[in-house]
Amino acid sequence: MQEKSSSFSIKNWSQDDQPREKLLYKGKAALSDAELVAILIGSGNRQESAVDLCKRILANTDNNLSALGKLSIKQLTEFKGIGEAKAITIIAALELGRRRRGEEALEKKKITSSSSVFELMQPVIGELQHEEFWIIYLNNSNKVIRKNQLSKGGITGTLVDVRLVLKNALEVGAVGLILVHNHPSGGLKPSEADKQITQKLKTAAQSLDIKVLDHLIITEKAYFSFADESLL
């Protein structure tokens, strides 16, 4: 029985079938998602190779890496062959990928449209299961000086401190602000509270010659822009 289980270890496969060697000789683009995840976990279980196990895990998330990244350690360890250490490795790798997307978006620096705000912030808050409110601080060239999480709340909403927003704006010398928050429910329609806080911040900022340029509501795959919809 032990002899059968050892055959499912990656090191016992033929060289052409080993994901590590495939990446080494053919490049990372040649590997499937399942093969890349298989490199992370190293081995499967007694019935499945690492790749077959990873195919099954991915199939459970409709072959969607974003959905895989949302699985908890407990959910991952429900798959036979995935212990706590392997689950942590998968979660850490996908979190690094998410952060890399955020850094790549930040490198663009200049905000030119609502879509560029979405590209910057979707990797940060688009997939969260709770609501967060962020402020992007801009200079007079619409380049990002800083982006700060202002509040973090439950799915029902967040609290926004107007004085803190303006204090931070003055500290960094911002002349423009963009408000951003996520709707974990997936709905894009702004609530009355969303409209009220937008107007409150806009009015307060105007007294300091700081403009609120937009307010985006972000979900996993889409966004709503107050500026695009002429609600500012």
Side-chain angles (χ1 to χ4, degrees):
M1 192 68 175
Q2 182 62 35
E3 183 179 347
K4 179 181 178 181
S5 65
S6 66
S7 67
F8 287 99
S9 175
I10 287 177
K11 66 182 180 182
N12 293 319
W13 301 358
S14 68
Q15 191 172 44
D16 289 341
D17 292 330
Q18 292 179 17
R20 295 189 189 92
E21 282 67 24
K22 188 174 179 180
L23 188 151
L24 180 62
Y25 295 112
K26 297 183 179 180
K28 58 189 178 183
L31 276 70
S32 66
D33 290 346
E35 288 172 324
L36 289 169
V37 179
I39 289 175
L40 296 174
I41 68 172
S43 62
N45 54 47
R46 295 192 176 201
Q47 287 76 40
E48 300 169 299
S49 67
V51 171
D52 287 335
L53 173 56
C54 292
K55 284 180 179 178
R56 185 160 62 86
I57 294 171
L58 282 165
N60 190 259
T61 59
D62 294 324
N63 294 301
N64 185 301
L65 290 174
S66 292
L68 178 61
K70 293 177 183 178
L71 296 183
S72 65
I73 292 175
K74 182 177 183 299
Q75 289 172 315
L76 284 169
T77 54
E78 288 174 359
F79 292 93
K80 185 179 179 182
I82 301 295
E84 189 175 87
K86 290 180 179 179
I88 289 171
T89 299
I90 292 171
I91 289 171
L94 290 168
E95 175 62 14
L96 281 172
R98 186 190 68 80
R99 293 184 186 187
R100 179 185 175 188
R101 286 173 57 204
E103 288 180 358
E104 287 173 346
L106 186 57
E107 285 171 6
K108 296 177 182 177
K109 293 186 182 290
K110 188 168 184 176
I111 299 298
T112 57
S113 64
S114 57
S115 63
S116 60
V117 179
F118 178 72
E119 289 172 5
L120 176 66
M121 294 303 298
Q122 193 282 334
V124 180
I125 62 174
E127 299 175 8
L128 298 180
Q129 299 303 306
H130 61 270
E131 191 169 309
E132 292 188 359
F133 199 107
W134 286 65
I135 305 290
I136 301 173
Y137 297 91
L138 306 174
N139 65 15
N140 57 8
S141 298
N142 282 348
K143 289 187 176 180
V144 177
I145 303 172
R146 182 190 292 178
K147 56 185 179 73
N148 282 351
Q149 180 198 91
L150 187 64
S151 63
K152 176 180 178 180
I155 288 177
T156 56
T158 62
L159 297 174
V160 176
D161 188 334
V162 174
R163 291 173 299 178
L164 182 59
V165 173
L166 299 181
K167 177 178 178 288
N168 290 338
L170 292 172
E171 285 178 352
V172 301
V175 299
L177 305 176
I178 295 177
L179 323 178
V180 188
H181 79 282
N182 61 313
H183 276 183
S185 65
L188 288 172
K189 184 178 179 181
S191 66
E192 283 305 312
D194 294 337
K195 295 176 183 178
Q196 289 170 10
I197 192 59
T198 303
Q199 190 57 47
K200 187 176 181 180
L201 277 166
K202 179 182 176 182
T203 301
Q206 280 176 341
S207 65
L208 298 173
D209 292 325
I210 298 171
K211 293 182 179 179
V212 172
L213 301 174
D214 204 349
H215 183 172
L216 264 69
I217 298 170
I218 288 179
T219 63
E220 185 173 351
K221 296 181 179 178
Y223 68 91
F224 178 94
S225 162
F226 277 60
D228 291 352
E229 300 298 327
S230 303
L231 290 179
L232 275 175

